[in-house]
């Protein structure tokens, strides 16, 4: 597994644990109310699990297992760094804005970062999604 | 495909069908008022935890780099424990949440707390066991 996938998948595992923790607190609050502020974690719970765990995990695994270019290259690694950086920045902005009920424009900023991350990832993965050209012996 | 992976993936498929069935039932609460509004979060979590998350977990247990030649899936008991805790907690929630909605402050509330704890433990066990396998070659 390449180092970039290692970090991406590990990030996603951290988000899984964080998202499950928030979810468990809210579910417990629903059963036996103990701290009403727990409900403020709801937007973060959704953002962290959907984008932080599910989507980031898929991206990390895709970077690892999609067909490689000739010479074993996985394409432009810088663009993947940017993808993961923007995605995580977007997740934190959206989660904090949602949980602390901050100004709505910041939510748009966070979601814009996530959108640009999606664009970078699509461009990165697009070239690696291809039919493998099998060559017969003697052919180039 | 190892037995544990088959259990994760097949259970995820069952949860997928169950989630969509609950989804249809909760859509009927306009015409059938006895259907609890608390089925909406049950539907959503059967779908996102029971289907999506459990399927990802199963594929991860299958595909992540081997921990070692002797223990390719690291501590498999942790993965089994996560499987039982996740599904036990989720099904307990599916039963106790609508009942707690109808009769708050009774035993169902504490069962919801217990189901939250079970699912949290499942997440913890899965993360611990997967973390060790996520490594550069």
């Amino acid at each position: 597994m390449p180092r970039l996938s290692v970090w991406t998948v590990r990030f996603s595992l951290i988000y899984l644990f964080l998202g499950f923790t928030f979810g468990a607190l809210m579910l417990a609050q629903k059963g036996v109310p103990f701290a009403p502020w727990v409900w403020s974690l709801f937007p973060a719970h959704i953002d962290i699990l959907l984008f932080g765990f599910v989507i980031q995990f898929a991206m990390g695994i895709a970077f690892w297992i999609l067909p490689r270019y000739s010479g074993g290259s996985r394409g432009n690694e810088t663009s993947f760094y940017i993808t993961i950086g923007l995605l995580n920045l977007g997740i934190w902005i959206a989660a904090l804005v949602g949980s602390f009920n901050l100004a709505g424009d910041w939510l748009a900023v966070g979601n814009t970062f996530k959108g640009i991350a999606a664009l970078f990832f699509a461009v990165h993965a697009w070239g690696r999604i291809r039919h493998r050209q099998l060559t017969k012996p003697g052919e180039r | 495909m190892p037995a544990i992976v088959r259990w994760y993936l097949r259970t995820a498929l069952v949860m997928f069908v169950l989630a969509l069935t609950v989804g249809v039932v909760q859509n009927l609460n306009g015409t059938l008022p006895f259907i609890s509004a608390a089925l909406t979060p049950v539907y959503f979590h059967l779908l996102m935890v029971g289907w999506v998350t459990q399927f990802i977990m199963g594929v991860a247990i299958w595909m992540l780099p081997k921990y070692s030649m002797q223990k390719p899936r690291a501590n498999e008991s942790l993965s089994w424990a996560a499987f039982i805790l996740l599904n036990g907690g989720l099904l307990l929630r599916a039963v106790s949440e609508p009942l707690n909605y109808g009769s708050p402050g009774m035993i169902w509330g504490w069962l919801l707390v217990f189901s939250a704890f079970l699912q949290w433990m499942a997440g913890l066990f899965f993360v611990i066991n997967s973390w060790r396998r996520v490594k550069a070659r």
Side-chain angles (χ1 to χ4, degrees):
Chain A
M1 182 180 263
R3 192 161 297 278
L4 258 172
S5 287
V6 169
W7 284 108
T8 310
V9 172
R10 281 187 173 171
F11 278 150
S12 76
L13 290 175
I14 292 170
Y15 282 117
L16 172 65
F17 179 68
L18 204 57
F20 264 46
T21 302
F22 289 178
L25 284 171
M26 285 187 291
L27 188 56
Q29 163 72 19
K30 207 181 263 190
V32 180
F34 64 98
W37 64 264
V38 161
W39 283 114
S40 65
L41 298 172
F42 186 62
H45 169 65
I46 293 174
D47 240 81
I48 280 173
L49 281 175
L50 186 58
F51 289 95
F53 168 56
V54 175
I55 292 174
Q56 187 157 219
F57 188 90
M59 285 174 164
I61 297 295
F63 183 78
W64 175 33
I65 65 171
L66 283 178
R68 283 180 268 178
Y69 294 108
S70 56
S73 160
R74 288 187 168 85
N76 186 347
E77 291 199 357
T78 308
S79 84
F80 196 74
Y81 272 114
I82 294 170
T83 301
I84 297 308
L86 287 173
L87 181 73
N88 284 281
L89 195 58
I91 290 166
W92 279 102
I93 291 174
L96 290 173
V97 166
S99 295
F100 291 103
N101 208 13
L102 303 175
D105 288 350
W106 277 102
L107 191 59
V109 172
N111 284 331
T112 302
F113 283 150
K114 286 189 275 185
I116 298 170
L119 183 64
F120 267 89
F121 179 73
V123 170
H124 170 88
W126 195 274
R128 291 178 60 187
I129 300 170
R130 64 192 193 280
H131 178 67
R132 190 180 291 254
Q133 284 300 125
L134 293 174
T135 53
K136 292 177 186 167
E139 282 183 356
R140 247 180 357 128
Chain B
M1 191 180 273
I4 188 161
V5 176
R6 294 200 303 272
W7 275 93
Y8 267 85
L9 300 188
R10 285 182 173 159
T11 309
L13 292 173
V14 171
M15 289 290 186
F16 188 24
V17 175
L18 187 63
L20 294 183
T21 306
V22 172
V24 171
V25 171
Q26 55 108 24
N27 286 149
L28 296 175
N29 73 350
T31 25
L32 304 172
F34 60 88
I35 292 173
S36 171
L39 277 184
T40 303
V42 170
Y43 153 66
F44 197 73
H45 284 86
L46 284 173
L47 193 67
M48 291 309 295
V49 179
W51 159 235
V52 177
T53 303
Q54 184 157 223
F55 200 86
I56 290 173
M57 286 175 165
V59 173
I61 292 167
W62 182 28
M63 284 192 53
L64 285 179
K66 288 177 184 165
Y67 177 67
S68 68
M69 290 308 283
Q70 292 76 27
K71 291 174 146 187
R73 286 173 291 282
N75 185 350
E76 207 169 301
S77 304
L78 272 183
S79 297
W80 278 113
F83 173 78
I84 293 165
L85 290 165
L86 187 81
N87 290 290
L90 194 56
L91 291 176
L92 187 59
R93 178 198 185 142
V95 172
S96 54
E97 189 161 10
L99 293 169
N100 182 61
Y101 185 79
S103 318
M106 296 178 67
I107 183 73
W108 309 116
W110 284 103
L111 286 178
L112 266 186
V113 175
F114 187 52
S115 84
F117 178 70
L118 295 182
Q119 291 175 80
W120 181 78
M121 287 291 288
L124 180 66
F125 286 175
F126 174 76
V127 169
I128 289 172
N129 210 33
S130 301
W131 190 271
R132 299 183 286 180
R133 295 177 58 190
V134 180
K135 57 191 177 193
R137 193 181 293 177

